[in-house]
Amino acid sequence: MSRGVIHTPAFMPVGTIGTVKAMSTDELKEIGAEILLSNTYHLYLRPGHEIVASLGGLHKFMNWDRPILTDSGGFQVFSLSALRKIEDDGVHFKSHLDGSMHFLGPKEAMEIQSVLGSDIAMVLDDCTPYPATPEYAMDSLFRTIKWAEQCRELQKEGQALFGIVQGSLYENLRKKCIEELVDIGFDGYAVGGLSVGEPKEEMHRLIRFTAPLLPVDRPRYLMGIGDLGDVLVAVDAGFDMFDCVMPTRNARNGTLFTSQGRVSIKREEYKADRGPLDPDCGCYTCRNYSRGYLRHLFMSREILSMRLNTIHNLHFYLNFFRNMRESISEGRFMEFRTRWQEIVS
Ligand SMILES: [Zn+2]
């Protein structure tokens, strides 16, 4: 990839609307982010992909010269838009911002991602809701496969394209989808439609089922799942790429991930605590501020609270992934998994 190397298993901080909330891109580089995820649906609605293009493309627009993966917008259309009508050639939907009507099909999804200039584009998929009957899941799956084929035909040189596996909780449908996508041929393969309300055991079952069916010589991306307990299960199964709003969203809500487990910084017990948030963390926040100060900022709703909390949580996540990669290359992943499974659950 021309914009930089991505070490796997990789975690992609989420910059939904062209910014990882509360972070500058220099800060993201400092904590070691190698790739960001951004969202077609959001940037299309605001400010509009043509505006982003006129300001130099997404990398220039947000001042990030490393790789960017853009989601196609399928998931957001299904999760955010109040009104949507799915047809065979795409989805009519109502903007969650101003109620205006729009249409997103494979052609539109590819066009927008091409104009944004992301390094990795995702196919438009029909994200099957949970629960879904086998009949509904199959209909939805055929749309996903057809759209994937159309997106592949429209792929532009210089932009990688990943296929997305749907099929709800049905193993036969997941398998069928993988076979069809591999036939079409993509630069990478993602599994979508998980963590949409199904029980955790079901999600883990599908993670273990799908990973070994995906081509080993292509990146395998588990979409939207970032609970570290789930990540351990998925990496063990064979997944290479992850994204999730958990570290950033939780940071803004005062929930912090540490080597001793989760910390809710608003708790009274931290009021006069002079220790660092996480004694094992080398991030800017932990090197310079006490738990007592972080609690004070959070209780006072100071902007700096969100900034310092986000720096720590993302640093913690990226460091977790760094240590996990090291454990894999040194052949001690199982030991790493056992140790962390307890802390993060
Ligand atoms: Zn820290």
Side-chain angles (χ1 to χ4, degrees):
M1 190 164 291
S2 59
R3 280 198 179 90
V5 175
I6 302 160
H7 295 92
T8 60
F11 180 75
M12 300 184 276
V14 178
T16 308
I17 59 171
T19 168
V20 175
K21 292 191 199 312
M23 297 283 280
S24 75
T25 45
D26 282 348
E27 287 165 336
L28 288 166
K29 282 185 180 174
E30 202 176 300
I31 59 171
E34 294 180 328
I35 175 171
L36 300 181
L37 178 142
S38 204
N39 258 296
T40 296
Y41 170 91
H42 291 282
L43 292 169
Y44 160 77
L45 288 178
R46 185 170 61 191
H49 55 296
E50 301 291 0
I51 294 289
V52 175
S54 75
L55 292 171
L58 186 52
H59 289 86
K60 177 89 171 45
F61 184 54
M62 64 184 289
N63 185 35
W64 175 257
D65 55 10
R66 293 182 183 178
I68 297 176
L69 178 148
T70 44
D71 193 2
S72 66
F75 180 77
Q76 283 72 32
V77 167
F78 289 90
S79 59
L80 288 177
S81 173
L83 185 94
R84 55 177 189 264
K85 192 161 171 278
I86 309 166
E87 287 175 358
D88 281 347
D89 56 350
V91 199
H92 294 273
F93 67 96
K94 202 171 183 172
S95 160
H96 73 290
L97 295 174
D98 62 6
S100 54
M101 288 304 297
H102 300 268
F103 179 78
L104 185 70
K107 193 167 139 267
E108 290 74 16
M110 290 305 287
E111 168 71 16
I112 299 166
Q113 294 182 90
S114 165
V115 167
L116 292 173
S118 56
D119 304 273
I120 303 173
M122 301 299 297
V123 298
L124 181 68
D125 60 329
D126 181 353
C127 189
T128 317
Y130 172 83
T133 62
E135 294 73 30
Y136 183 94
M138 198 180 306
D139 269 3
S140 160
L141 183 66
F142 281 122
R143 259 191 304 276
T144 285
I145 293 167
K146 198 175 125 199
W147 293 352
E149 208 165 7
Q150 290 167 350
C151 286
R152 179 70 179 82
E153 279 165 20
L154 296 165
Q155 182 180 3
K156 297 259 166 63
E157 205 176 322
Q159 189 176 45
L161 180 65
F162 283 18
I164 302 179
V165 179
Q166 290 288 345
S168 189
L169 300 184
Y170 306 104
E171 292 184 354
N172 59 332
L173 296 186
R174 290 280 177 179
K175 184 162 182 281
K176 160 122 184 105
C177 190
I178 292 170
E179 287 165 0
E180 297 276 349
L181 292 177
V182 171
D183 256 7
I184 300 168
F186 289 94
D187 301 305
Y189 296 86
V191 170
L194 289 179
S195 197
V196 290
E198 77 281 9
K200 225 168 206 192
E201 309 79 69
E202 292 291 280
M203 180 173 87
H204 289 176
R205 174 173 66 83
L206 266 296
I207 286 172
R208 290 195 192 95
F209 178 78
T210 50
L213 300 176
L214 298 167
V216 289
D217 58 345
R218 293 280 182 272
R220 292 160 289 182
Y221 166 26
L222 185 60
M223 300 182 83
I225 289 174
D227 173 274
L228 294 177
D230 299 333
V231 166
L232 289 169
V233 171
V235 166
D236 189 28
F239 281 99
D240 307 301
M241 292 169 72
F242 299 86
D243 79 276
C244 193
V245 295
M246 266 182 90
T248 41
R249 182 176 291 165
N250 279 326
R252 300 195 300 279
N253 295 331
T255 298
L256 303 166
F257 299 96
T258 78
S259 58
Q260 274 107 48
R262 286 188 195 197
V263 165
S264 177
I265 200 66
K266 67 169 181 268
R267 291 171 62 135
E268 182 76 21
E269 64 185 283
Y270 302 127
K271 196 170 183 177
D273 192 332
R274 59 178 71 196
L277 172 59
D278 184 349
D280 290 341
C281 179
C283 85
Y284 172 77
T285 304
C286 292
R287 277 187 281 116
N288 293 289
Y289 300 97
S290 66
R291 287 179 164 184
Y293 184 65
L294 294 176
R295 178 180 187 273
H296 161 69
L297 290 181
F298 183 79
M299 298 309 280
S300 318
R301 300 167 173 242
E302 280 294 323
I303 294 171
L304 187 59
S305 168
M306 295 194 184
R307 299 211 351 89
L308 294 179
N309 289 355
T310 305
I311 287 172
H312 167 79
N313 266 4
L314 274 182
H315 181 278
F316 180 83
Y317 256 66
L318 292 166
N319 205 42
F320 179 91
F321 272 73
R322 262 191 298 269
N323 291 335
M324 183 162 61
R325 288 195 295 267
E326 204 176 281
S327 81
I328 294 168
S329 66
E330 290 172 3
R332 46 176 184 80
F333 172 71
M334 285 322 285
E335 181 198 311
F336 178 91
R337 181 181 168 180
T338 311
R339 184 162 77 88
W340 280 99
Q341 195 90 55
E342 217 159 287
I343 298 167
V344 298
S345 60

